[in-house]
Structures are given as structure tokens and as C-alpha cells.
Amino acid sequence: MADPAAPRPGTAPQNGRWWGGRAADWAEIQEPQTQTAYAAVFDQIGLAAGQGYCDVGCGAGLAAQMAAARGARVSGLDASAPLLAIARSRVPAGDFRQGEMEELPFADGAFDVVVGFNSFQYAAEPAKALGEGRRVARPGGKVAALVWGPPEGMPAAALVAALRPLPPPPPPGAPGPFALSGEAALRALAAAAGLKSVTVHDVASPWFFPDRATALRGLGSSGVAMRARDLAGSEAVDRAHGAALDPFVQPDGSYRVGAVFRWVTGEA
């Protein structure tokens, strides 16, 4: 019988493959849909010039690029080599590394600010991953984890849910896009990671696509979509996304989809 206390296998190999499958489309179309939320987090934590900034699950580096524009000294980690290549091109002076969130390759107390944008819910052990974020923050430094807001009534949640019928269901306890969306779950995660002075905030960051083809490219570039594509095929993924997009088409053929994100902030 497996030891329940034993570390769970990391998620970086499979997530790196899925999230890097269409890295250019993710960076060009889908990643920018969340930049309003990135800016809100930076404003709330007071990200300032000269601060050491670590982005856990940095993706293609858009948030890191925004942090660098504010004068922060940027580092980041991600599972996907193709996404990291884009991040390095966006922030040439940044220190970007590939690896697992539960084993950050940075020294204790190395950063003033540590963030994870839509990343910790994909860790095999989210509390351990966020605890690593606390470890690499200086004492009193800010640690923030942004996740999806509650899916109930959120238009964008319909686009995520559209893929659920395609792949086989994940095993019990597997992480998912909305695993940490409840405020109680997010506060419990922060407490388990040892964060202090915890606060929770919401921000609207609506999605916009100029046309259907762009929307399908963007939505199809996520790791969730790439996993479904592996199992059900590209046509099935595009068909599911297309049907879910229909309610959001505008008279000019563009698409506007409401989305809400939630984040927890604490001190190390």
C-alpha cells in the first residue's frame, strides 16, 4: 500500500508538454486576457522598482514583463520550455528556470515579492508549492496566488466546462482549474503554506477576441485544451469551444466573455 505521507509525483512533465503545445498562440492571444488581473495584484501588493520578483508558473512571461516595466528584478519558473523561451525573449535580463513548483530552485528569502498566476492549482501539492513561495520570500515579503474566481455565474467558466465531456474524467483529487476558487479553500491553502496577514480579493478581467478564428486559437492553446486535444482530437475541441462561444458573439463578429479572478495575499 502506498504511503499517504509520501510526496506525490510532480506535475511538471505533463503540464510542461500540454501548456507548451501551442506556446505562441498562448502568448499572443490568451495570456493577455488576464493582464488586468496581473496589474490589480501588483497594485495591491505595492510592487515597486528595485524589488526582487519571483513568478511561479510564469508561463510566457507577460506578468514578468509587466513587473520588469515597473522596475522589478525578475525571476521565474515554469514547467514548459517553449513558454520559458518566450518569457526570456520578453525579459532578457530575467532569470527563468524550468522545474517543479514544489522545489523552487531559489535561495531562502531571495525575493521581496513572490506570485503565482493561475499556477498553484495545477501543482501536485498546492500547499507545498505555495509554501515554497513563502520560503523564497524574505521575512515580511509579499506572497500572492491568483486563481479563477468562483465558476458559478461566470461566463468564462462555460468555455472551460465545454471540454469536460471530451477527455476521461481526472482521477479523484486531481487538481483542476477551479480547485482553489472558493474563498475558504484559498484561505486554507494560505494557512497551510504558513502565510500571515492574509487577505482575499476579486477582480474582473474580461476576455476579448476580434473574431471566431482568433478565439478558437486562443482557447485551444491552454494546457486543459491540449490535454483534451490529445484524447479527443482537434476537431472535437474546436467544436466544443465553438458551441460555447456562440452566446458571446457581438454584432461586429467579435467575442466578449466575462471573467473574474481571485487572489490571496499574505506575508512570509
Side-chain angles (χ1 to χ4, degrees), residues 211-233:
D211 52 56
R212 189 177 185 85
T214 302
L216 292 177
R217 282 174 54 212
L219 295 171
S221 67
S222 75
V224 175
M226 293 304 296
R227 176 179 182 269
R229 197 180 304 278
D230 279 354
L231 296 165

Side-chain angles (χ1 to χ4, degrees), residues 208 210 246-256:
F208 170 76
D246 286 342
F248 307 111
V249 66
Q250 306 298 304
D252 64 356
S254 66
Y255 293 81
R256 298 179 187 274

Side-chain angles (χ1 to χ4, degrees), residues 136-240:
V136 302
R138 63 169 175 77
K142 297 293 181 65
V143 180
L146 180 135
V147 300
W148 280 102
E152 297 81 13
M154 187 203 306
L159 298 176
V160 178
L163 301 182
R164 287 178 185 162
L166 299 184
F178 299 102
L180 298 174
S181 296
E183 182 172 349
L186 203 52
R187 287 185 178 276
L189 176 74
L195 298 183
K196 300 172 289 188
S197 302
V198 170
T199 60
V200 175
H201 310 264
D202 290 352
V203 61
S205 187
W207 295 356
F208 170 76
F209 304 102
D211 52 56
R212 189 177 185 85
T214 302
L216 292 177
R217 282 174 54 212
L219 295 171
S221 67
S222 75
V224 175
M226 293 304 296
R227 176 179 182 269
R229 197 180 304 278
D230 279 354
L231 296 165
S234 295
E235 290 186 5
V237 169
D238 286 347
R239 188 164 53 248

Side-chain angles (χ1 to χ4, degrees), residues 19 77 113 141 162:
W19 286 92
L77 174 132
V113 170

Side-chain angles (χ1 to χ4, degrees), residues 20 41 53 58 107 112 126 145 151 171 191-192 203 222 231 244-245 248 251 255 262 267:
V41 174
Y53 166 93
C58 62
D112 301 290
V203 61
S222 75
L231 296 165
L245 278 166
F248 307 111
Y255 293 81
R262 171 170 285 173
E267 293 182 357

Side-chain angles (χ1 to χ4, degrees), residues 50-117:
Q51 289 185 326
Y53 166 93
C54 182
D55 195 323
V56 182
C58 62
L62 178 58
Q65 185 178 39
M66 293 169 63
R70 294 185 179 219
R73 294 177 286 105
V74 169
S75 296
L77 174 132
D78 202 82
S80 166
L83 290 176
L84 284 169
I86 298 173
R88 292 181 180 117
S89 71
R90 284 173 161 172
V91 190
D95 176 11
F96 295 100
R97 308 186 192 185
Q98 188 173 9
E100 295 278 5
M101 289 183 279
E102 293 91 341
E103 299 177 359
L104 296 180
F106 303 110
D108 294 0
F111 302 101
D112 301 290
V113 170
V114 179
V115 302
F117 293 130

